[in-house]
């Protein structure tokens, strides 16, 4: 019989995590993926003959619990490789090298401050760590179990000691600029360190809100937020997740776009019955779990008409405009960056915090940054299979590029941005332009088209205090279940949020299996 | 000297019927409703009330908010918004509805007129554009238009109302059933008549474009000359609606979107409007919350009270005992009903207390001295005023 316990819409990494847990628990699970590759924004595609890349290009905090529960190592995940340093790129070829426990290329004072700040942040991250893998309490629900989640957090923070607790509370919503200025003098160091709090968000160094929180979220695993590329690239992770899910019995159908989530109504109300595919095929299931972003899930796939009015409007006003573009370059040879050996680390091209702020200023008003800032990797250094022998792939996250550009994303607008990016890269790696065989620039607008993610937003909806914790994506949908029975969320739009973490998929599965 | 009116935008607007109404407003007793200059009464509120009950009166409902909701999704959009099943509403029929927040708290009540398969008119007491704009999200093929200012409407209520309309030349009007709509050619335009009102008596509402408003007035008053036609204002309306047991915003209920305090608003069940909530409908706003409310029972229930004596129980607390030891509720509206010859009130009483005795603590004034009395109250099921003619088709000739 063609009936499933659970249909998962979208084979993003969270969808795969959720599928694996549910299949392991004995459910009959079907994962439907619109594109030809599993993984969502982590899917690896050939962007030019012989050259591969994925939009998400490194891992900093994938859940160790998920790795263990799903035995991802036995499915081929190998994270034992070297973690990358983060390099703050200096225009003069003098770079700042940021490691887990030390920084070099700065004054001894800054180096000492780094060690201290890093230790403090790690203590905070540890206090918060268990919170990310928990379901947030439902507002208005005062059941002991739900309140316990809060009590535990309170206790963990209290156990930090009075000084740390007060400092945590002071720092929690601090702008990155203030935190950096308090601790460091070196401009390049400050810019590179603040990047981790800002990447993927609608925030710049002067914005108060969630950057410190975002930084702590990325630090919740033992890696402390240091970035790495698994063996076999990001595909190594995605393949392991596909393996875990399918070996447990989940079915995965690629090239299968879901047109809508089907609903029936009777005297007991509405309930979700399954999905209808783009071709008209209807598949029934006891529940549908959406790994798509909340706006798309509720307003496009389910339909606002099937929701309550205020809820639908809360979903509609979610802040979903992505500001990160993705640059993929197919290079004829290994790129050479000034003042550096091999480019096998994570390079931040943003010489000052102001350079980040100014790039954001342009985007705020719908323009493209005059001088873009970016995070650059050469993933083929770690995984040579990504490019033909001797050739390389450069992968860059470019901020701040608006999804809705003033005047629209014309070919000319894209080509202008690409030129600016190459000019910028050329300053750090002279001669790189001549190595470019092919360039692919994916604006947030493009990502929305190719990955069916509203606004092309990495995190599906802004990771900011108004959309975090029990407010993520909004109250009445923050516990993974939707107001319409039979519908669940398991994507980055749910607590704790985006990035290659796996926590929303894990948490959703636990709620479903309750 | 600059003669420009600096306060032009702040001044009350005048309804298309204003030239006639202002001539008749002997007491200049104006207040306002939704930005329109609006009569509290014209000559004497009690006199106007007796016109409603014994002859007929006109009440300007131009300031009432009117929205045209049209398009292939109009029915579905309204059906999700209101608690009643709009799909059952026939063309040229009207239904009384209420709508609620997601939490099942009542935003407003009003009427829906079905003018075509895909065209409706929603009327309500307060501006509702914001809520309607929110309510259309998810419905692609629906247009909401505020037609308040392009509609002139007059309520004609009272036992002679049907006869007056016949005198005016609307011959078939007697066949119009309660909550029915009829259309008539009228002086180069058209006149819509609905058998609706807010007085609990025989009555109609007349709808034209603003250019035809004064013509309508003149023709109507000429036809009604020998049938006691007289304009009435807010005060007489409030008396008539209380006798009929109808609720009034800011009296019986707070609109949920306007309250500050949590639960200073109400559910339809508290307002004894549970009959408007149709759970056969799979989906409408507030359904889940309303189902829970129905199952638990509302905290308060709105009831009609017949109170001993003749001292009006305005603003009274209600108790379960004559000694006023246990407070169980409060009066929302009260009056001496000339037609029922009774001291009546609408009141909110804690639902579990509905079966016990009810006492009202009444403060009343005699020549600037206040006196207190505790009066026994009886809960009534039926409205204090519900004459058969309000329901009969054709209505009995006057």
């Amino acid at each position: 019989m063609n009936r499933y316990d659970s249909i998962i819409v979208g084979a993003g990494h969270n969808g795969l995590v959720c599928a694996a847990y549910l299949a392991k628990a004995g459910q009959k699970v079907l994962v439907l993926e619109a594109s030809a590759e599993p993984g969502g924004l982590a899917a690896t595609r050939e962007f030019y003959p012989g050259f591969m890349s994925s939009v998400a290009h490194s891992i900093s905090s994938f859940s160790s619990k998920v790795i263990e529960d799903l035995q991802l190592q036995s499915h081929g995940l190998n994270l034992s490789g070297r973690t990358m340093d983060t390099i703050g790129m200096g225009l003069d070829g003098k770079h700042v090298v940021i490691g887990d426990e030390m920084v070099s290329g700065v004054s001894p004072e800054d180096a000492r401050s780094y060690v201290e700040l890093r230790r403090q942040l790690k203590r905070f991250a540890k206090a918060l760590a268990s919170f990310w893998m928990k379901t947030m309490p439902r507002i208005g629900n005062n059941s002991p179990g739900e309140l316990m989640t809060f009590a535990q957090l309170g206790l963990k923070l209290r156990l930090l000691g009075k000084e740390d607790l007060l400092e945590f509370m002071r720092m929690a919503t601090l702008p990155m600029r203030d935190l950096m200025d308090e601790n460091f003098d070196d401009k390049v160091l400050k810019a590179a360190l603040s990047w981790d709090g800002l990447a993927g968000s609608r925030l710049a160094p002067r914005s108060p809100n969630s950057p410190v929180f975002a930084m702590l979220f990325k630090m919740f695993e033992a890696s402390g937020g240091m970035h790495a590329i698994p063996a076999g690239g990001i595909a190594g992770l995605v393949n392991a997740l596909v393996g875990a899910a399918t070996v447990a019995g989940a079915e995965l159908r690629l090239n299968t776009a879901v047109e809508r989530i089907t609903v029936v109504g009777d005297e007991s109300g509405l309930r979700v019955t399954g999905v209808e595919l783009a071709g008209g095929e209807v598949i029934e299931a006891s529940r549908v779990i959406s790994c798509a972003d909340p706006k798309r899930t509720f307003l496009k796939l389910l339909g606002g008409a099937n929701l309550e009015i205020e809820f639908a409007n809360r979903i509609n006003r979610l802040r979903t405009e992505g500001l990160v573009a993705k640059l993929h370059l197919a290079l004829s040879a290994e790129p050479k960056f000034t003042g550096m050996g091999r480019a096998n680390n994570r390079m931040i091209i943003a010489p000052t915090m102001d350079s980040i702020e100014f790039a954001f200023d342009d985007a705020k008003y719908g323009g493209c940054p005059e001088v873009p800032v970016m995070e650059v990797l050469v993933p083929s250094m770690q995984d040579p299979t990504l490019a033909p022998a001797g050739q390389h792939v450069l992968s860059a996250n470019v901020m701040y590029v608006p999804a809705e550009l003033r005047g629209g994303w014309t070919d000319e607008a894209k080509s202008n941005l690409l030129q600016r990016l190459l000019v910028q890269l050329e300053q750090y790696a002279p001669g790189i332009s001549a190595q470019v065989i092919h360039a692919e620039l994916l604006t947030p607008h493009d990502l929305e088209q190719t990955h069916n993610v509203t606004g092309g937003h990495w995190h599906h909806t802004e990771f900011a205090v108004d959309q975090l914790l029990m407010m993520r994506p909004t109250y009445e949908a923050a516990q993974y279940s939707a107001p319409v029975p039979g519908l669940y969320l398991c994507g980055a739009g749910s607590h704790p949020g985006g990035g290659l973490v796996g926590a929303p998929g894990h948490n959703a599965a636990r709620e479903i299996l309750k | 000297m600059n003669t420009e009116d600096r306060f032009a935008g702040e001044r009350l607007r005048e309804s298309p019927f204003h030239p006639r109404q202002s001539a008749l407003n002997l007491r200049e007793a104006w207040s306002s409703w939704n930005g329109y200059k609006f009569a509290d009464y014209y000559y004497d509120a009690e006199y106007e009330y007796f016109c409603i009950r014994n002859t007929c009166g006109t009440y300007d409902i131009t300031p009432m908010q009117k929205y045209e909701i049209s398009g292939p999704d109009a029915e579905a959009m309204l059906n999700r918004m209101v608690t009643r099943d709009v799909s059952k509403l026939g063309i040229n029929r009207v239904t009384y509805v209420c709508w609620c927040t997601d939490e099942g708290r009542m935003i407003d009540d009003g009427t829906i007129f079905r003018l075509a398969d895909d065209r409706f008119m929603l009327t309500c007491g307060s501006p509702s554009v914001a809520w309607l704009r929110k309510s259309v999200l998810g419905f692609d093929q629906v247009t909401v238009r505020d037609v308040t200012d392009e509609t002139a409407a007059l309520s004609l209520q009272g036992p002679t109302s049907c006869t007056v309309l016949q005198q005016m030349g609307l011959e078939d009007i007697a066949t119009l059933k309660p909550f029915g709509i009829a259309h008539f050619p009228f002086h180069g335009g058209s006149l819509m008549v609905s058998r609706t009102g807010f007085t609990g008596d025989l009555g109609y509402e007349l709808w034209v474009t603003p250019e035809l408003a004064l013509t309508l007035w003149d023709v109507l008053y000429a036809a009604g000359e020998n049938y006691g036609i007289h304009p009435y204002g807010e005060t007489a309306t409030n008396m008539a609606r209380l006798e009929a047991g109808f609720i009034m915003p800011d009296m019986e209920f707070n609109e949920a979107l306007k309250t500050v305090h949590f639960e200073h608003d109400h559910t339809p069940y508290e307002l004894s409007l549970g009959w408007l909530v149709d759970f056969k409908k799979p989906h409408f706003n507030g359904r889940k919350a309303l189902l829970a409310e129905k199952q638990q029972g509302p905290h308060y229930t709105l009831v009609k009270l017949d109170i001993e004596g003749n001292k009006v129980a305005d603003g009274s607390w209600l108790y379960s005992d004559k000694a006023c030891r246990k407070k169980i509720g409060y009066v929302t509206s009260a009056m001496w009903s000339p037609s029922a010859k009774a001291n009546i009130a609408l009141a909110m009483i804690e639902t579990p207390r509905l079966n016990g005795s009810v006492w009202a603590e009444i403060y009343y004034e005699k020549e600037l001295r206040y006196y207190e009395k505790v009066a026994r109250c009886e809960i009534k099921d039926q409205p204090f005023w519900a004459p058969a003619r309000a329901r009969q088709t054709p209505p009995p000739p006057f």
Side-chain angles (χ1 to χ4, degrees):
Chain A
M1 184 55 200
N2 207 11
R3 192 184 159 82
Y4 294 88
D5 294 315
S6 294
I7 290 174
I8 295 179
V9 181
H13 79 285
N14 279 307
L16 294 170
V17 167
C18 190
Y21 275 102
L22 296 181
K24 269 181 66 143
Q27 283 201 4
K28 189 167 154 67
V29 179
L30 174 64
V31 184
L32 299 171
E33 169 55 45
S35 67
E37 297 290 341
L41 287 167
T44 301
R45 345 174 330 275
E46 191 174 46
F47 69 94
Y48 187 71
F51 294 85
M52 318 281 282
S53 189
S54 54
V55 175
H57 61 195
S58 62
I59 293 177
S60 62
S61 51
F62 196 85
S63 163
S64 57
K65 179 170 190 296
V66 171
I67 292 173
E68 202 174 304
D69 286 351
L70 301 180
Q71 295 164 303
L72 293 184
Q73 262 125 353
S74 74
H75 294 287
L77 177 65
N78 181 358
L79 278 171
S80 64
R82 174 183 89 82
T83 56
M84 294 181 284
D85 289 330
T86 294
I87 316 273
M89 304 291 281
L91 263 175
D92 50 4
K94 286 186 189 150
H95 307 308
V96 174
V97 181
I98 305 167
D100 185 13
E101 284 171 352
M102 59 169 292
V103 61
S104 60
V106 296
S107 68
E109 291 77 18
D110 275 358
R112 261 200 309 279
S113 296
Y114 177 76
V115 172
E116 276 173 36
L117 179 65
R118 184 84 183 144
R119 280 187 190 148
Q120 185 176 43
L121 290 173
K122 279 186 173 178
R123 291 197 297 275
F124 296 166
K126 198 176 166 196
L128 292 175
S130 66
F131 218 41
W132 308 116
M133 301 299 278
K134 281 199 160 69
T135 299
M136 290 295 101
R138 192 176 285 269
I139 294 168
N141 181 337
N142 295 327
S143 74
E146 305 222 354
L147 291 178
M148 189 57 81
T149 308
F150 275 140
Q152 280 172 351
L153 178 74
L155 185 65
K156 289 217 159 149
L157 291 175
R158 189 66 193 83
L159 289 175
L160 284 171
K162 188 176 167 189
E163 211 168 294
D164 262 0
L165 173 64
L166 292 173
E167 191 58 9
F168 171 76
M169 286 165 65
R170 186 188 72 87
M171 271 167 57
T173 57
L174 209 59
M176 267 299 157
R177 187 182 178 97
D178 296 77
L179 184 65
M180 294 300 130
D181 282 347
E182 282 169 9
N183 288 281
F184 308 109
D185 290 321
D186 191 282
K187 286 179 178 172
V188 174
L189 173 64
K190 290 196 275 194
L193 272 182
S194 61
W195 183 269
D196 275 331
L198 304 171
S201 75
R202 196 178 178 74
L203 300 168
R206 286 176 196 267
S207 317
N209 200 317
S210 56
V212 175
F213 235 70
M215 196 179 234
L216 294 174
F217 173 42
K218 287 172 191 167
M219 288 171 64
F220 90 97
E221 282 298 339
S223 66
M226 297 307 289
H227 288 249
I229 299 179
I234 295 299
L237 172 67
V238 173
N239 291 340
L241 288 170
V242 169
T246 50
V247 167
E251 280 175 62
L252 171 61
R253 271 172 73 177
L254 301 171
N255 299 306
T256 309
V258 171
E259 184 72 16
R260 63 187 189 96
I261 294 167
T262 56
V263 171
V264 292
D266 55 27
E267 287 185 29
S268 51
L270 295 182
R271 67 177 189 284
V272 162
T273 55
V275 297
E276 186 183 318
L277 304 181
E281 185 189 343
V282 172
I283 311 176
E284 292 192 341
S286 304
R287 69 187 65 73
V288 172
I289 305 157
S290 178
C291 188
D293 68 87
K295 226 182 237 184
R296 185 176 174 80
T297 301
F298 286 117
L299 301 183
K300 289 227 172 78
L301 298 177
L302 183 70
N306 289 319
L307 295 164
E308 305 244 323
I309 292 167
E310 290 164 302
F311 180 84
N313 281 273
R314 287 208 304 277
I315 295 295
N316 194 42
R317 77 175 180 203
L318 287 175
R319 302 189 294 121
T320 53
E321 196 198 355
L323 284 166
V324 190
K326 194 66 207 292
L327 174 69
H328 295 142
L329 296 181
L331 300 175
S332 57
E334 185 181 331
K336 289 287 177 205
F337 287 80
T338 309
M340 195 186 289
R342 304 197 72 190
N344 56 2
N345 285 304
R346 178 172 172 256
M347 297 169 280
I348 307 294
I349 294 185
T352 62
M353 287 194 289
D354 275 349
S355 69
I356 304 178
E357 194 73 43
F358 296 158
F360 181 52
D361 286 344
D362 290 328
K364 272 196 289 198
Y365 304 104
C368 242
E370 287 293 327
V371 185
V373 288
M374 55 187 140
E375 169 195 310
V376 180
L377 294 187
V378 184
S380 49
M381 301 291 289
Q382 321 267 345
D383 176 13
T385 64
L386 295 175
Q391 301 187 322
H392 283 276
V393 170
L394 180 143
S395 168
N397 292 320
V398 182
M399 285 180 70
Y400 295 73
V401 179
E404 301 297 330
L405 184 70
R406 190 172 53 232
W409 275 112
T410 58
D411 289 347
E412 194 194 351
K414 267 182 83 165
S415 128
N416 281 343
L417 176 59
L418 180 59
Q419 282 316 307
R420 286 182 203 174
L421 293 174
L422 291 175
V423 166
Q424 183 79 328
L425 282 169
E426 188 72 27
Q427 292 191 62
Y428 294 88
I432 193 168
S433 302
Q435 296 176 322
V436 175
I437 302 169
H438 178 76
E440 178 188 63
L441 176 61
L442 300 169
T443 67
H445 183 75
D446 295 326
L447 293 174
E448 171 157 14
Q449 308 302 316
T450 53
H451 289 77
N452 297 318
V453 57
T454 306
H457 200 300
W458 273 12
H459 304 323
H460 290 193
T461 178
E462 190 70 13
F463 185 88
V465 287
D466 56 312
Q467 302 186 160
L468 280 185
L469 309 174
M470 65 288 281
M471 305 281 276
R472 189 166 185 84
T474 180
Y475 47 99
E476 293 174 325
Q479 289 74 33
Y480 309 97
S481 59
V484 183
L487 178 62
Y488 292 81
L489 302 176
C490 74
S494 289
H495 173 78
L500 283 174
V501 178
H506 161 273
N507 294 357
R510 190 191 47 221
E511 285 300 306
I512 290 159
L513 293 171
K514 251 185 186 171
Chain B
M1 197 182 126
N2 187 1
T3 53
E4 197 189 325
D5 181 0
R6 289 166 59 213
F7 303 106
E10 290 295 316
R11 294 196 190 278
L12 294 176
R13 289 186 299 161
E14 294 176 352
S15 125
F17 299 109
H18 188 74
R20 300 292 183 270
Q21 294 185 146
S22 106
L24 292 168
N25 197 328
L26 305 180
R27 303 294 178 227
E28 295 287 339
W30 299 107
S31 62
S32 68
W33 181 16
N34 292 337
Y36 278 94
K37 199 168 189 180
F38 188 73
D40 269 341
Y41 55 94
Y42 289 82
Y43 168 60
D44 177 89
E46 296 229 331
Y47 175 79
E48 290 159 24
Y49 160 81
F50 280 109
C51 290
I52 299 172
R53 290 294 179 236
N54 297 321
T55 56
C56 73
T58 64
Y59 176 66
D60 187 356
I61 52 172
T62 302
M64 185 169 70
Q65 301 295 287
K66 305 162 197 81
Y67 301 96
E68 182 192 72
I69 292 152
S70 59
D73 286 342
E75 181 190 290
M77 175 262 164
L78 283 171
N79 225 5
R80 194 275 294 260
M81 188 177 104
V82 304
T83 58
R84 230 174 166 178
D85 194 346
V86 179
S87 69
K88 291 177 181 163
L89 185 66
I91 293 173
N92 285 327
R93 296 289 300 165
V94 184
T95 189
Y96 174 56
V97 295
C98 71
W99 50 99
C100 297
T101 63
D102 292 10
E103 291 76 36
R105 319 299 295 185
M106 199 165 101
I107 293 171
D108 208 348
D109 62 350
T111 52
I112 293 178
F113 290 56
R114 186 169 210 150
L115 303 172
D117 224 21
D118 59 355
R119 196 159 59 87
F120 299 83
M121 180 172 74
L122 173 74
T123 74
C124 52
S126 299
S128 302
V129 179
W131 187 250
L132 288 166
R133 279 187 64 169
K134 283 187 163 187
S135 302
V136 299
L137 178 64
F139 299 91
D140 297 332
Q141 295 180 291
V142 62
T143 308
V144 175
R145 219 159 54 83
D146 186 342
V147 293
T148 307
D149 294 344
E150 53 192 80
T151 314
L154 207 55
S155 186
L156 174 70
Q157 302 284 308
T160 64
S161 57
C162 181
T163 312
V164 170
L165 292 178
Q166 284 171 322
Q167 294 291 322
M168 211 177 101
L170 309 185
E171 281 168 14
D172 298 336
I173 197 68
T175 61
L176 187 63
K177 293 179 180 162
F179 292 104
I181 300 171
H183 302 268
F184 300 91
F186 186 76
H187 293 263
S190 77
L191 166 65
M192 182 171 87
V193 182
S194 56
R195 191 169 162 187
T196 47
F198 199 45
T199 59
D201 209 317
L202 175 64
Y204 300 85
E205 287 170 333
L206 314 175
W207 314 79
V208 290
T209 52
E211 332 58 279
L212 289 173
L214 294 181
T215 310
L216 173 64
W217 184 281
D218 294 339
V219 173
L220 187 67
Y221 271 72
E225 195 181 354
N226 295 327
Y227 295 91
I229 194 168
H230 193 278
Y232 65 95
E234 180 63 23
T235 310
T237 299
N238 198 27
M239 294 169 72
R241 71 89 197 172
L242 175 51
E243 287 181 334
F246 297 154
I247 59 169
M248 191 80 136
D250 298 333
M251 301 282 286
E252 276 65 43
F253 74 101
N254 277 315
E255 296 165 32
L257 300 178
K258 296 182 182 169
T259 55
V260 174
H261 191 284
F262 175 63
E263 287 184 351
H264 271 182
D265 49 14
H266 305 278
T267 68
Y269 288 98
E270 286 179 324
L271 295 162
S272 295
L273 294 178
W275 59 279
L276 292 183
V277 184
D278 187 352
F279 287 113
K280 291 204 183 82
K281 227 168 41 160
H283 182 49
F284 55 87
N285 216 55
R287 189 183 193 278
K288 201 168 152 189
L290 288 169
L291 193 59
E293 170 91 349
K294 187 188 179 186
Q295 282 157 0
Q296 289 163 16
H299 185 205
Y300 281 100
T301 301
L302 183 75
V303 293
K304 302 172 193 73
L305 294 183
D306 185 352
I307 303 169
E308 72 176 2
N310 62 2
K311 300 294 179 262
V312 174
D314 246 336
S316 290
W317 288 111
L318 300 175
Y319 296 87
S320 61
D321 57 314
K322 195 176 181 185
C324 298
R325 275 189 292 261
K326 176 67 191 163
K327 207 178 265 179
I328 59 171
Y330 57 95
V331 167
T332 58
S333 304
M335 69 182 279
W336 171 261
S337 162
S339 297
K341 305 277 184 287
N343 187 18
I344 67 171
L346 292 176
M348 282 289 194
I349 295 183
E350 290 172 7
T351 307
R353 298 285 178 173
L354 289 175
N355 294 323
S357 55
V358 180
W359 295 83
E361 185 186 32
I362 303 171
Y363 287 79
Y364 61 98
E365 186 215 288
K366 265 187 194 170
E367 297 180 324
L368 302 182
R369 293 286 296 276
Y370 268 92
Y371 297 86
E372 184 191 352
K373 125 170 221 189
V374 179
R376 183 187 289 279
C377 308
E378 195 184 330
I379 296 174
K380 292 287 191 188
D381 291 336
Q382 295 303 314
F384 303 104
W385 185 253
R389 63 178 175 244
R391 296 178 301 280
Q392 289 166 339
T393 307
F398 186 75

